[in-house]
Amino acid sequence: MNQNKKNKKKSKKSIEKSEFGFYGAKALFDPYFIPDQLIARKKEQKYLLNLLDDSIEDRFSANVALYGLRGVGKTVLVNKTIQRLVNNVKQPEIENESELNLIPFFVDCEGKEFDQVIFSIINGLAKRLDYDINPDMILSSNTASLWNLFKMLVNKLNASLMIFIDSVEYINPKLINKLHDFAKSESIILIHTFNAATSSPFLSDFKKPDFKISMDIYNYNSLFKIGKDRCRMAIRNRVDDSMIKYVVDLVGKFDKKVPGPMIRVLSDLYPVLEDYDPSMSNQIREVCRYQFQGFAIDELSLADYIADSDILDRIFVDNITSYFKTTDEFYIDYEELKNNYVIACESIEQKMSEKNFHSTLKNLEQISLLLPSEIGLPEKEKVNSIGSNFMLQNNIHLNTLKSPRYITVPTDLLNDMMDIAFGAY
């Protein structure tokens, strides 16, 4: 390894951490927003950064593929890494962008044909090289002509070219393989992402990448940290941690544990959060109610459950409703739940039974009315969080049983249902 390369390796470790900034709505609404920090992806970022840095230094082609669910953070990982690379290799005295040591291009393939992908790259290269092209001529060109123009522009570059193709599963594998072969011959860095859940049935037809990065889903605690970080960057008023935890719990329960759907919910909540205060908890529940498929509880089924339950369970649910309505809290802890159950028992002069209490909690969990939070629990305990009755009988993972719980129905709606239920008596 030469001295220059050693210095570059050292410079990567000594990059000063920039101050965390405020970006406003962009941090939630811009799909290509690059955050100040990547949370729980240090290992993947370090691997990708070292790989690309070596490729640039040694002028060899690297074909890198990232696989993962939509919304898991593939695009932001690559863009954040490229941002660091560009900042590292860009020379302060250079004014002409065509003279940069690294020239990256990003193309989102979703909904595009290969010709459109190549056109985007050609257009960018022409601007970098200050090369005059006729847009009408390009638009009317066939694939072969576009390909020849692309190769000609690449040969004019005096820098490392990096092409980042997002959602490559939308493009014909034969054409991507052709790009792969050309990248090999010209020492071009080619990065592409696959959305695991929507990948092309021809996935096996794509050439095997030189390097592969698989991105798993997050755990609840990491997802909470990401949500908190996004709120800090997007919203001037401080947002309570309990509200962010509530959104993360819903995402983990009714969607995938990835940042995409969480950021989508936060963006829909943005108008509310801009003027946030703790009394808005019910308004936030109302907005979240329609965010996930399978989350909106069947009101008839819920009404049937309440109608079929005995008087003790009705009073207990009514007590819980009153608690959330009067406190504006997102969660109720185990001891408070137990206390409300004791009060319900006393109101009808019935002896409190731990077994019946836990059975009621399980029933409320099964209809997705009152759910245990997964945030803050060790992962090994979450794996076995499959119902309070199971845990009680097996005497294991009692921390999950005693987790704070949240309601999934706005208190006004639940209160109306309880009024109807008590009217039947």
Side-chain angles (χ1 to χ4, degrees):
M1 185 182 291
N2 59 39
Q3 187 62 40
N4 184 39
K5 190 167 182 178
K6 287 181 180 179
N7 291 336
K8 284 183 71 65
K9 292 289 185 183
K10 184 177 179 181
S11 70
K12 285 192 294 185
K13 295 181 180 179
S14 62
I15 294 173
E16 293 185 5
K17 192 175 183 181
S18 60
E19 291 186 7
F20 294 158
F22 175 79
Y23 303 92
K26 178 181 179 181
L28 294 177
F29 290 92
D30 182 357
Y32 305 116
F33 174 75
I34 303 175
D36 295 322
Q37 59 179 335
L38 291 183
I39 295 172
R41 292 295 185 201
K42 290 182 179 179
K43 179 180 177 181
E44 293 89 341
Q45 186 182 19
K46 182 179 179 181
Y47 175 79
L48 184 59
L49 184 63
N50 288 336
L51 170 64
L52 298 181
D53 195 44
D54 288 346
S55 177
I56 294 167
E57 180 67 26
D58 295 335
R59 300 287 292 180
F60 71 86
S61 172
N63 182 9
V64 187
L66 289 86
Y67 298 83
L69 293 172
R70 179 183 293 275
V72 77
K74 301 181 295 297
T75 303
V76 74
L77 171 64
V78 175
N79 283 334
K80 183 67 175 178
T81 305
I82 292 175
Q83 182 188 66
R84 291 189 61 178
L85 280 171
V86 170
N87 290 339
N88 285 352
V89 303
K90 190 172 182 178
Q91 300 174 18
E93 67 273 14
I94 290 178
E95 296 181 0
N96 188 347
E97 283 190 329
S98 66
E99 297 178 26
L100 294 180
N101 290 333
L102 172 64
I103 299 179
F105 283 103
F106 169 80
V107 184
D108 186 354
C109 294
E110 184 170 356
K112 293 186 175 71
E113 298 291 337
F114 185 73
D115 287 1
Q116 294 172 293
V117 173
I118 290 295
F119 174 79
S120 297
I121 299 173
I122 287 173
N123 191 47
L125 285 172
K127 288 181 179 178
R128 294 275 188 176
L129 295 166
D130 196 23
Y131 185 85
D132 188 25
I133 58 174
N134 186 335
D136 293 333
M137 182 271 291
I138 292 180
L139 290 173
S140 61
S141 298
N142 56 30
T143 301
S145 299
L146 290 173
W147 185 255
N148 289 331
L149 179 57
F150 165 64
K151 291 194 290 185
M152 184 269 290
L153 291 173
V154 167
N155 289 329
K156 288 180 175 290
L157 287 175
N158 186 27
S160 295
L161 177 61
M162 180 184 298
I163 301 175
F164 173 23
I165 303 179
D166 207 14
S167 303
V168 76
E169 67 272 11
Y170 289 93
I171 302 297
N172 186 322
K174 292 182 179 180
L175 297 173
I176 292 296
N177 291 341
K178 185 176 181 180
L179 179 59
H180 170 269
D181 291 339
F182 179 69
K184 279 281 186 186
S185 66
E186 297 296 326
S187 299
I188 296 171
I189 301 169
L190 186 62
I191 307 172
H192 48 278
T193 66
F194 288 90
N195 291 317
T198 59
S199 288
S200 163
F202 307 107
L203 182 60
S204 60
D205 294 333
F206 287 96
K207 285 194 173 181
K208 187 177 179 180
D210 301 323
F211 307 93
K212 177 179 176 181
I213 300 175
S214 295
M215 298 184 64
D216 295 328
I217 61 174
Y218 289 78
N219 60 44
Y220 280 92
N221 296 328
S222 295
L223 206 57
F224 165 68
K225 291 177 183 177
I226 294 171
K228 188 173 180 178
D229 194 49
R230 284 298 175 114
C231 286
R232 173 194 60 77
M233 291 185 287
I235 300 161
R236 292 191 182 277
N237 295 329
R238 184 184 180 279
V239 177
D240 285 349
D241 286 357
S242 60
M243 191 287 300
I244 303 170
K245 288 179 180 179
Y246 177 69
V247 171
V248 171
D249 268 323
L250 291 177
V251 169
K253 177 68 177 179
F254 297 101
D255 208 306
K256 302 290 190 302
K257 286 185 289 183
V258 298
M262 177 189 63
I263 294 170
R264 185 196 71 229
V265 175
L266 291 174
S267 65
D268 283 350
L269 285 170
Y270 180 79
V272 178
L273 299 180
E274 272 286 88
D275 299 312
Y276 178 79
D277 70 68
S279 66
M280 293 178 170
S281 57
N282 202 48
Q283 187 177 353
I284 289 169
R285 286 191 197 96
E286 186 68 44
V287 174
C288 290
R289 190 173 165 219
Y290 302 100
Q291 295 296 319
F292 310 99
Q293 287 185 347
F295 170 56
I297 295 177
D298 184 344
E299 294 177 17
L300 292 177
S301 297
L302 179 57
D304 287 342
Y305 169 80
I306 295 173
D308 292 340
S309 61
D310 59 28
I311 185 63
L312 174 59
D313 284 354
R314 292 189 191 192
I315 296 173
F316 177 51
V317 172
D318 191 52
N319 289 348
I320 295 171
T321 305
S322 297
Y323 170 85
F324 281 108
K325 195 173 181 66
T326 57
T327 64
D328 292 315
E329 298 284 350
F330 284 98
Y331 293 91
I332 181 170
D333 63 35
Y334 178 81
E335 292 302 324
E336 187 67 35
L337 275 171
K338 191 173 181 179
N339 182 55
N340 276 277
Y341 191 79
V342 169
I343 293 172
C345 291
E346 291 174 347
S347 69
I348 57 173
E349 300 181 348
Q350 182 171 319
K351 186 178 179 180
M352 192 274 190
S353 165
E354 291 271 355
K355 181 178 179 180
N356 290 341
F357 172 53
H358 293 140
S359 178
T360 299
L361 290 183
K362 180 184 177 183
N363 291 336
L364 295 176
E365 182 178 340
Q366 286 180 334
I367 64 168
S368 296
L369 175 59
L370 187 70
L371 297 172
S373 176
E374 296 282 357
I375 298 173
L377 296 177
E379 290 302 304
K380 63 180 181 180
E381 291 189 344
K382 296 175 194 175
V383 172
N384 287 280
S385 177
I386 57 176
S388 55
N389 215 26
F390 173 87
M391 291 181 287
L392 179 67
Q393 292 170 0
N394 291 275
N395 195 31
I396 58 175
H397 306 302
L398 292 180
N399 285 339
T400 306
L401 171 62
K402 295 186 177 182
S403 293
R405 296 181 181 243
Y406 58 97
I407 57 172
T408 57
V409 177
T411 54
D412 292 342
L413 174 61
L414 192 53
N415 193 66
D416 290 343
M417 289 185 174
M418 296 311 300
D419 287 344
I420 294 172
F422 281 113
Y425 274 80

